[in-house]
Amino acid sequence: MSYFDAASAAPLHPVGRQALLAALDEGWADPARLYREGRRARLLLDAAREAVAEAVECRPDELVFTPSGTRAVHAGIEGALAGRRRVGRHLIVSAVEHSSVLHAAEVHEARGGSVTEVGVDRTGAVAPDAFAGALRPDTALACLQSANHEVGTVQPVAEVAGACRAAGVPLLVDAAQSLGWGPVAGDWSLLTASAHKWGGPPGVGLLVVRKGTRFAPQGPADERESGRAAGFENIPAVVAAAASLRAVRAEAAEEAARLRELTERIRARVPALVPEAEVTGDPERRLPGIVTFSCLYVDGETVLHELDAAGFSVSSGSSCTSSTLTPSHVLRAMGVLSEGNVRVSLPPGTPAEDVERFLTVLPGVVAGVREKLGAPVTAGGVRGAERDGEGSGAAAAAGALVVDALGRRCPVPVIELARVIGDVPVGGTVRVLADDEAARLDIPAWCEMRGQEYVGEEPADRGSAHVVRRVS
């Protein structure tokens, strides 16, 4: 089995495993106690904190360990907003932040605060000028991830941090995906991360609050971790997290170059091997191991199941996956195709032959799913439907062709559009009736990929009518 989902959770690094087992014997006692076992546990905790602080490039007393990366994000946002409540209640986030950041923003807004969401371009990157333009006199906090968890795009953190610093606004950086590759550049004020993203054990997050940053921990007071993370420290897991971070950092330069070559191989060959596929994310400013692509006319959940059966563990931001009926907020913000989305995130040590086997298997998997769904696909792409429109659900109305895809989920509305576009003359239109949220993203993306014109969305009795004009 080839595990290609390191962006969700990286396998436990061998060094981390050794440290975990050793710390189970040595670090089980209460580090707040003065007897021998407690002192031994305290030494382990302090050494782990110093090691992680060195990797982050912060002071040990600026860093605390939390029960998870998500809890670090929530504690960081809540504490920073509370610490600057006299300044105002305005929060800035990017449109592609991790859901933990966006959920915290929703809670803040529900409690009467205001939130500005800064958009991104088609590569998934924010523009520093746009981010700086969102700063206001009442801005209490800004949040920006160091690199995106779905498409791998690296954000201009240093530039944004400089603008925030000039405005006197603290910047919280979610470094979950990038910290294993190196420290985060820029004059940021707060930073969060999660150990299971870099090959540490799950259940360990970290929160860094720079000296001079106003911060008021929320919730009941607790004497542990400077009052910023309540509860008994999981010292064995913390020790393993620190050991694995040090180990992956020592390997980072060499492994980054190797994984970058492998993901570049995927980026270059998928469009050549799979007709109607779109590779997303920045081609240059990206993490070494992540590559994401979307394929027209396929069901994302079925693709994942078929790849799993073929021996590959991947993830997806498609709206067709079982966990959601809406497209990934990242893909939606980028304005790129969401259907048939596949995220490949290679863990360190991935053999090149596994990637070659993936590229060999993928075209057949996609072709098989398309065939099951009835997509009119040839080796060169999608052909026009037969003139009678058999099976298309299309009807002529008011000089246009109408496709009724109401009640049908991705990728069916796009498949039906592709089947009938050849039945209208150049300049003619097709109106696709759909109530699937993904249609708002995937029909315009289809038009851009196929060289047709997306006229826009119109209200309908049910759902919406997506109007497409045939250009070629």
Side-chain angles (χ1 to χ4, degrees), residues 48-379:
R49 195 186 314 277
E50 289 176 5
V52 175
E54 180 181 3
V56 174
E57 296 187 351
C58 69
R59 293 170 41 156
D61 60 351
E62 293 175 329
L63 184 151
V64 299
F65 295 106
T66 65
S68 68
T70 294
R71 186 66 199 119
V73 166
H74 292 171
I77 291 176
E78 292 169 357
L81 288 172
R84 286 174 50 84
R85 59 185 176 273
R86 292 183 180 179
V87 173
R89 303 193 65 195
H90 179 231
L91 172 66
I92 300 174
V93 299
S94 85
V96 294
E97 294 299 307
H98 187 268
S99 58
S100 60
V101 173
L102 299 183
H103 291 161
E106 290 172 1
V107 170
H108 176 64
E109 196 166 30
R111 292 173 176 171
S114 60
V115 177
T116 296
E117 195 172 271
V118 179
V120 296
D121 60 20
R122 283 185 65 84
T123 71
V126 301
D129 290 346
F131 208 100
L135 295 167
R136 306 188 324 208
D138 64 336
T139 302
L141 178 66
C143 299
L144 180 64
Q145 59 189 190
S146 56
N148 187 258
H149 50 292
E150 290 195 24
V151 299
T153 297
V154 173
Q155 298 290 358
V157 172
E159 295 93 327
V160 170
C164 290
R165 180 67 65 180
V169 175
L171 176 69
L172 183 149
V173 178
D174 172 14
Q177 291 296 333
S178 72
L179 195 60
W181 299 109
V184 177
D187 198 8
W188 45 266
S189 299
L190 302 97
L191 181 142
T192 63
S194 186
H196 74 277
K197 303 292 188 180
W198 68 64
V204 178
L206 61 91
L207 168 64
V208 179
V209 181
R210 293 281 201 195
K211 293 296 181 183
T213 302
R214 291 188 177 275
F215 191 88
Q218 299 301 285
D222 193 282
E223 69 277 6
R224 297 182 185 273
E225 292 300 296
S226 305
R228 294 173 181 171
F232 195 94
E233 297 93 342
N234 186 347
I235 294 177
V238 166
V239 169
S244 60
L245 181 57
R246 177 174 286 179
V248 298
R249 281 290 190 84
E251 305 161 354
E254 180 178 353
E255 195 61 22
R258 199 181 68 83
L259 291 185
R260 194 174 294 279
E261 190 279 326
L262 293 178
T263 53
E264 185 57 42
R265 195 180 303 183
I266 298 172
R267 289 183 65 88
R269 289 175 57 185
V270 163
L273 294 170
V274 181
E276 314 295 347
E278 178 183 28
V279 181
T280 61
D282 195 294
E284 301 294 335
R285 289 176 55 88
R286 59 185 175 85
L287 291 174
I290 297 179
V291 58
T292 301
F293 55 88
S294 299
C295 306
L296 281 171
Y297 320 121
V298 296
D299 173 353
E301 185 171 10
T302 303
V303 169
L304 263 59
H305 286 319
E306 293 295 326
L307 287 172
D308 180 56
F312 298 97
S313 302
V314 299
S315 65
S316 173
S318 170
S319 61
C320 309
T321 53
S322 58
S323 61
T324 178
L325 290 177
T326 59
S328 150
H329 70 277
V330 172
L331 301 178
R332 185 169 61 243
M334 293 167 62
V336 298
L337 184 69
S338 76
E339 68 183 44
N341 177 258
V342 175
R343 181 186 69 182
V344 174
S345 50
L346 306 177
T350 299
E353 52 267 30
D354 284 7
V355 171
E356 284 300 319
R357 191 170 69 87
F358 174 78
L359 291 169
T360 300
V361 168
L362 179 68
V365 166
V366 174
V369 175
R370 284 172 171 169
E371 183 178 359
K372 290 178 183 178
L373 291 172
V377 177
T378 67

Side-chain angles (χ1 to χ4, degrees), residues 430 432 443-444 453-458 465-469:
V430 177
V432 183
I443 291 178
E453 178 188 355
Y454 182 66
V455 178
E457 181 180 345
E458 298 176 351
H466 299 273
V467 184
V468 176
R469 179 175 288 112

